[in-house]
Structure formats: C-alpha cells, structure tokens
Amino acid sequence: MSWRRVAGTLSLCVGLTVGLVSVSAEENVGKKTLPEAFDQSVIVPYDYQGKAFVNGVKTDIWGEYEIVQRQGRVMVPIRLMGTLAGHITDSDGMWQADWSAERPDEVVLRNGNLGLSIKFTVGERTMVVGQEKRTIDIAPQRIGDRIVLPLRSAAEALNTRIEWLDGLIVMSEEPIDLVHPQTSGLVSRVKKQLVDARPRLDWSSEGQMLNPLTMVGSTVYYTGIKDANSGSWHLYKRGVGQQTGELITLPGNPQLGTAKLVGQELFFLTQTEQGTSLYAYHLGNESIRKISDVANWDPTWGWLGEIRYIDGELYVILHYGDNTMGSDTLYLAKDGRLEEVTWAKSFINYAFDDAFLYATDFRFMYGMENNLFRVDKATGERSDVGVPEYAYGVIREYSPTAESYRHHEALYIRDGIVYALGYLGEDRQDVAAVYRIDPESRTHTKLTGHAEDFWLIDEHIYYVDGVDGFLKAVDKDGGESWIVLNMQMKNVQFVDGSFYFMKPSHPDASTGVLYQYFVGQFVAQNLLKQRSELPVSSYEVGKSGLYYIQQGYDPGLFKVGADGRSTRLVSDNVHSTALSDDGIVYTLAYEKGIFSGK
C-alpha cells in the first residue's frame, strides 16, 4: 500500500512521542532530504492552524480542531480524521472514520476496498486491526466533546512512516534524512506557511465569489455574485488605479454563469420581455450586439455550452434539459438566426473537412460505443463512422469498485481520414489507443499502444504513453513508434511548436517541475528546457507568455521571461487564473479581490 493511498486519512491523524531527533550519520545513508521527499509527504505543525502540506500542496482543513498533547503524545480529534478521509480517494479507496452515538467510546478506521478495519476504544490500550488485537502506548481519550486518538499506533498499523522534526509532524513513504542541512534549512519556510492563521476565502459566500475573465490592455474584466442567495452573476471592469470594479450594464437578465469568452467577445444568453436571446459584448471597444433570438429555450433548464468560430462562421452549442437526461444541439448562427446543424447527448468535440462535420459524443447514460458520426454539409444527412463496437474520444478507467469514463477532445481530420482515441467496449482489458479511421469503409487501424493524449503534427502522431508517461511518436499512417522524450509527463500542452509539461517526481504526484520541449523540423533542432526550479501545481501558456503557480513552501505566481528566467508576480497562494493576450488575471486564496500581472 502506498503512502498516497492513506494520506487523506492520516494527514493530521498522528500520535507520537514529542522530542528531539538524534540520528547518526550512518543511519541516514540512502535517505532523502526533506526537499526531495516534500511532494511525497504530509506535514502538519504541532501549532496547528488548520493547514497542512499534502503531497507538496498547501491544503486547508475545514473545521475547528485542536491538536493536543497527553502523556508525551500528540493526539488528534477523530472528526478531523473523518474530514480528511472524505476528501481524498484513490484506487485503494479511502480510510473512513466511523463513530456513532450508540457506541460513543468506539471509533473505527475502515477501508472497504482493502477489507481492513482498525478499532479504538476510549480508555483501552488495545486496538483491533482486522481480527488481531495490538497493544498501544496510550489509550484514546475524550477531551470535552471530542475523542482524540494516539494515531501513531494507527499509522504503524497502516505501515506509515512518521517523524518529528522541530515542531513538525512529517509523514512520508520515503525515509527522510532529518539532520541534513537541506532538511533543517527548509523547516522555517514550511512552518511559516503552516502557521498562517488567515482563513481561506469562502468563494461561495456573498461578495467573495469572483471569477477572473481577461485583461484588455490594462483593464481587467471579471464576473461576480453580489448576492449569494440570488445566484445572479454581474460583469465588472476595473482600470488602472481603480480600487473597486465598475458594473457593466447588459440587456435583460444575463446568464453570465455560463457565458463564454472568445477572443475579446463575451457571449451570453439573456432573457427580456421578448424572450431569450444570444448576445455578444466586445470587451475591447465595449460594444454589444445581438446574435440571434433563441426559440423554445429557457436558461432555467439549460445552458450555453460552447461558442466557436470556424472559417469565419459562428457555431453555438446549447444544452437542453438537465445534465442526466438532457442533450446538446449544435447551431450555425447566420443572419440573426440559429440554424440547427446536428445534436449529441454531450459533444466531446467536432471538426470539419470540406464536405463533412465529424463529432464524438459522450453517451454516459446508454453506452459509449458507436459514438463517432458525421453530417454531410450539403444535405444534412447524418451517418455513423468507425467500428460500431468501439468508443472514440473516451478514456475508460477502473477502480476496485467502479468503472469511470472521461472524455478526450483530440479529434483530427486529414485527407478524409479521422484520428481519435478509441477502445473496444466489450473488452474490459482494452485501453485507449490512437486509431486511424476510414469513414467510407467504417474500418480503422490501431497506430499506438495505450495512449493518454495525442497530437497530429505535420506527418506524425505524437502521444503520451499511458504506461510509462513518455512522449512518443509514430507516422500518421502507422509504423513503428519511437521515444521522443523518456521522462514522465503530466498536464501536457502543445502550443506554438512546443510541448509544455510537468515532470512529477513519482507517478502519483500531483505537482511537477515545468519543462518546455521545442519540436524542430530536424532532430538537431529539438530543444528541452527546464522552466521552473521547484514543482508547480499548474501553468498557463499563451500569447502574453508562460506563467506557473506554486502551492508549496515557496508559493506564488511566476512568469517565465524570454531569457528563461522566472519573475515572481505575487508571493501568496493563488486561487484561480485567467490568461489573456495582454497578461494574466488572478484571485488569491486568502485575500479578497481581483489582481493582474504582465
């Protein structure tokens, strides 16, 4: 069992002896320093302020809890453990804390997937692991209305490593060199972040729900909810030197919660006395235009799905009904009307060639197979494409208790041939791979092994291998594949001739060091550059530049300059971002407001 699979339950659930660490140099041979093990660790301060580092990310734990010391042990409330267990799951399931009023002195840790339970009883120095009784150093206790547990014993039952480091509780899969200078040098920086007593903003509360949209020149645009009870969004702008936003008046009752920004135009549905209409507000020149009326549609039971310009024509997806039983309809906006093109349960993606529209459909209610179709642009005739037993544009995953699906938007049309991910529905062992699909014969050719993502670039398919995470390539018509980059890649984007990606330190890591890989015409032109020193949580790249966010012990928003050096734009935890051609707009986790940088 990996540490990651129990981190959610044990992040703050520790019982251990408080004291200084005395370790000989010989005992530290082969151990990692704390910086090296940081994104594989859970770190909690004894001076607990509701914050912890969980696998390299600063995490807020909701609820008023207090870590206490009894008989030289650090003990933690059971409800804190239950809160964490409810937030983190993975392939081994979660560890859940069970307590009931009928048995007020008992608490049980359970993992249904593993079929394992650990029972503690107030006042008893015995825990029951499965059917085995084990002696523990100190019995669970009741303090006020809470039960606190000596969870060092529970951690040991789960094969979890625990260390005490100068006021920090450190839990890691890897043994840590506690006396190494790099470890001791990191302690104060970690403590500074974890003793931060500022509460994380509740983004659902009145006046705090702000959504950054974009920046045009030096003017920032964003949406916000003034009254959480009404749930009505409003559009604001803020210029240079302005402390508060200026409300922008839009016609009717605009539904900005599902508005779509395309370039400098904000498309939204609104209701007036005449009915529902689609409008576009141009942020650059602050003009507004009516696109079309929307007949037989009510935003209380649907939403604006997508806006896209293709060859100068405007295509609109409207969703009708709820998410479960509803469906999408694709329209062409023309001469003040919406002309229906086709429909789907839920569009994954669509693309055109000269004669046809091709689309993938996410049919999560009645089977994913046979979900690739095309529509004749001249006649409107619709026909299925591909092998009927296969699902395209979908990735299927299994856990011990469930089968899940996620859509994948990559869909390319080249010389009448379709390229998409696909898998054989009836074969539970089959995984997604890149297929070359002939629409006329309804046949396909498998081009890759297990693939998580892919791109058609010039004459080659580049794909992220689903087994080792490497970047590989194959000729678009098939053939032997080769390794382009032999390093694990996550959150991969291809922008303007370069692959951007995060390289995690281990397969389960949610963070990773940021890299850029330029794909040249010849191998000698290819170039790999590291773009961040520390692991990042996310990044954005566009016309205005490359930006990344760190949520670890050195948090902030950074921009990578033309010389490859990073400039810190803010030294705080970032909540959300919106990239524009003129810069980046963002909100912070612990400070209210809309901020921007270039």
Side-chain angles (χ1 to χ4, degrees):
M1 182 192 314
S2 71
W3 162 245
R4 178 178 171 82
R5 292 171 180 167
V6 298
T9 299
L10 299 179
S11 293
L12 299 181
C13 307
V14 189
L16 58 133
T17 303
V18 179
L20 298 177
V21 178
S22 177
V23 184
S24 67
E26 291 78 10
E27 291 177 310
N28 283 317
V29 174
K31 294 183 178 180
K32 289 187 175 182
T33 65
L34 185 57
E36 293 172 330
F38 188 74
D39 62 352
Q40 301 177 59
S41 303
V42 172
I43 305 174
V44 186
Y46 181 69
D47 182 16
Y48 174 61
Q49 299 291 333
K51 296 176 175 63
F53 280 116
V54 179
N55 297 323
V57 177
K58 186 177 179 180
T59 304
D60 292 80
I61 312 300
W62 298 106
E64 297 182 2
Y65 301 108
E66 181 182 3
I67 296 177
V68 298
Q69 181 177 345
R70 290 293 185 273
Q71 301 178 28
R73 302 293 193 274
V74 174
M75 306 182 74
V76 182
I78 178 57
R79 291 194 183 277
L80 175 58
M81 176 178 164
T83 299
L84 288 171
H87 283 292
I88 300 179
T89 62
D90 55 32
S91 58
D92 272 354
M94 66 180 178
W95 287 91
Q96 179 177 345
D98 291 344
W99 176 89
S100 66
E102 289 76 18
R103 296 184 176 181
D105 290 336
E106 288 185 2
V107 60
V108 181
L109 304 180
R110 298 186 190 277
N111 187 308
N113 288 356
L114 297 176
L116 183 62
S117 65
I118 306 173
K119 184 175 74 172
F120 295 86
T121 305
V122 172
E124 294 187 8
R125 292 182 54 197
T126 300
M127 67 177 178
V128 182
V129 181
Q131 301 298 320
E132 177 188 355
K133 292 185 177 181
R134 299 184 187 178
T135 301
I136 55 180
D137 293 339
I138 181 173
Q141 301 179 27
R142 185 181 298 279
I143 300 178
D145 60 348
R146 293 175 178 171
I147 296 176
V148 294
L149 302 178
L151 291 179
R152 178 179 186 86
S153 300
E156 290 174 349
L158 295 168
N159 299 317
T160 303
R161 186 183 305 276
I162 299 177
E163 309 282 5
W164 177 260
L165 178 62
D166 193 15
L168 295 174
I169 301 166
V170 182
M171 293 163 278
S172 176
E173 187 177 49
E174 299 287 341
I176 297 175
D177 185 345
L178 300 176
V179 298
H180 194 283
Q182 292 183 8
T183 297
S184 57
L186 195 61
V187 170
S188 61
R189 300 169 73 180
V190 171
K191 283 184 178 179
K192 179 182 178 181
Q193 296 299 321
L194 296 184
V195 299
D196 180 2
R198 295 177 300 168
R200 181 176 288 268
L201 292 177
D202 180 2
W203 292 97
S204 64
S205 66
E206 180 179 348
Q208 290 188 0
M209 185 173 281
L210 302 175
N211 178 44
L213 284 179
T214 189
M215 180 163 58
V216 179
S218 296
T219 302
V220 171
Y221 292 87
Y222 62 98
T223 57
I225 291 184
K226 291 195 299 185
D227 183 359
N229 293 324
S230 70
S232 179
W233 287 88
H234 300 271
L235 178 63
Y236 298 88
K237 68 175 182 178
R238 195 192 69 210
V240 177
Q242 289 184 302
Q243 298 299 315
T244 58
E246 177 185 343
L247 178 66
I248 297 174
T249 302
L250 300 173
N253 180 24
Q255 307 298 307
L256 297 180
T258 59
K260 307 300 179 186
L261 185 66
V262 181
Q264 293 186 3
E265 284 190 300
L266 182 67
F267 292 84
F268 61 94
L269 293 162
T270 187
Q271 286 181 298
T272 66
E273 293 180 354
Q274 289 72 39
T276 302
S277 300
L278 176 66
Y279 277 82
Y281 178 79
H282 196 285
L283 304 178
N285 57 33
E286 299 187 349
S287 63
I288 191 165
R289 63 188 177 107
K290 181 178 178 180
I291 305 298
S292 68
D293 291 323
V294 181
N296 303 319
W297 193 86
D298 185 338
T300 61
W301 52 273
W303 55 84
L304 176 60
E306 187 192 56
I307 296 287
R308 191 186 301 184
Y309 279 105
I310 300 177
D311 296 331
E313 294 189 304
L314 182 65
Y315 290 86
V316 180
I317 293 178
L318 294 179
H319 184 86
Y320 293 79
D322 61 15
N323 192 48
T324 302
M325 301 303 297
S327 63
D328 289 344
T329 301
L330 175 65
Y331 297 93
L332 170 63
K334 188 174 183 179
D335 300 328
R337 306 187 315 275
L338 292 183
E339 299 180 355
E340 182 174 340
V341 178
T342 190
W343 66 273
K345 170 61 182 173
S346 180
F347 282 102
I348 300 173
N349 200 358
Y350 64 93
F352 289 90
D353 65 7
D354 292 338
F356 296 95
L357 173 148
Y358 294 84
T360 44
D361 189 358
F362 195 67
R363 300 172 176 172
F364 56 91
M365 289 296 295
Y366 50 91
M368 295 292 183
E369 296 79 14
N370 201 28
N371 68 329
L372 175 63
F373 64 91
R374 72 180 184 181
V375 177
D376 189 303
K377 293 166 65 175
T379 66
E381 181 182 359
R382 174 169 167 158
S383 57
D384 293 329
V385 175
V387 179
E389 294 80 15
Y390 278 73
Y392 298 101
V394 181
I395 295 177
R396 177 177 58 183
E397 297 172 326
Y398 293 103
S399 71
T401 59
E403 178 178 319
S404 62
Y405 302 87
R406 53 188 172 93
H407 60 75
H408 189 277
E409 295 184 355
L411 179 67
Y412 298 93
I413 317 299
R414 180 76 64 83
D415 300 325
I417 298 298
V418 181
Y419 297 86
L421 288 182
Y423 67 85
L424 179 59
E426 64 183 15
D427 184 358
R428 289 176 57 89
Q429 303 302 315
D430 198 27
V431 293
V434 181
Y435 283 85
R436 179 184 185 275
I437 305 159
D438 185 338
E440 301 300 329
S441 63
R442 294 204 69 180
T443 60
H444 66 207
T445 303
K446 186 176 182 179
L447 301 180
T448 72
H450 186 191
E452 283 287 323
D453 206 348
F454 82 98
W455 301 262
L456 177 56
I457 304 172
D458 297 326
E459 298 301 310
H460 300 101
I461 297 287
Y462 289 79
Y463 67 99
V464 178
D465 190 282
V467 177
D468 54 32
F470 293 175
L471 181 66
K472 299 180 180 179
V474 64
D475 184 86
K476 69 180 179 66
D477 295 321
E480 185 176 355
S481 67
W482 67 93
I483 296 174
V484 179
L485 283 176
N486 60 343
M487 59 175 64
Q488 188 183 16
M489 307 168 70
K490 287 193 173 183
N491 193 8
V492 186
Q493 298 184 47
F494 182 74
V495 180
D496 294 333
S498 288
F499 283 101
Y500 297 85
F501 62 94
M502 294 157 49
K503 179 189 176 187
S505 65
H506 61 98
D508 291 333
S510 61
T511 61
V513 175
L514 181 61
Y515 283 86
Q516 177 184 0
Y517 179 74
F518 173 74
V519 180
Q521 184 177 359
F522 305 102
V523 174
Q525 295 177 327
N526 295 347
L527 190 64
L528 178 66
K529 291 290 186 179
Q530 182 175 330
R531 294 308 190 194
S532 73
E533 180 181 353
L534 298 176
V536 308
S537 299
S538 61
Y539 70 92
E540 293 199 56
V541 58
K543 184 178 179 180
S544 61
L546 173 62
Y547 301 81
Y548 63 84
I549 295 172
Q550 290 177 181
Q551 303 284 20
Y553 55 81
D554 193 20
L557 173 64
F558 298 78
K559 181 178 182 180
V560 180
D563 59 358
R565 296 182 180 180
S566 295
T567 299
R568 187 193 296 268
L569 302 182
V570 61
S571 300
D572 206 344
N573 292 94
V574 175
H575 175 261
S576 62
T577 61
L579 187 64
S580 76
D581 290 348
D582 293 319
I584 192 165
V585 186
Y586 60 93
T587 58
L588 297 174
Y590 304 105
E591 182 179 347
K592 180 183 174 182
I594 292 285
F595 307 91
S596 62
K598 293 191 175 185

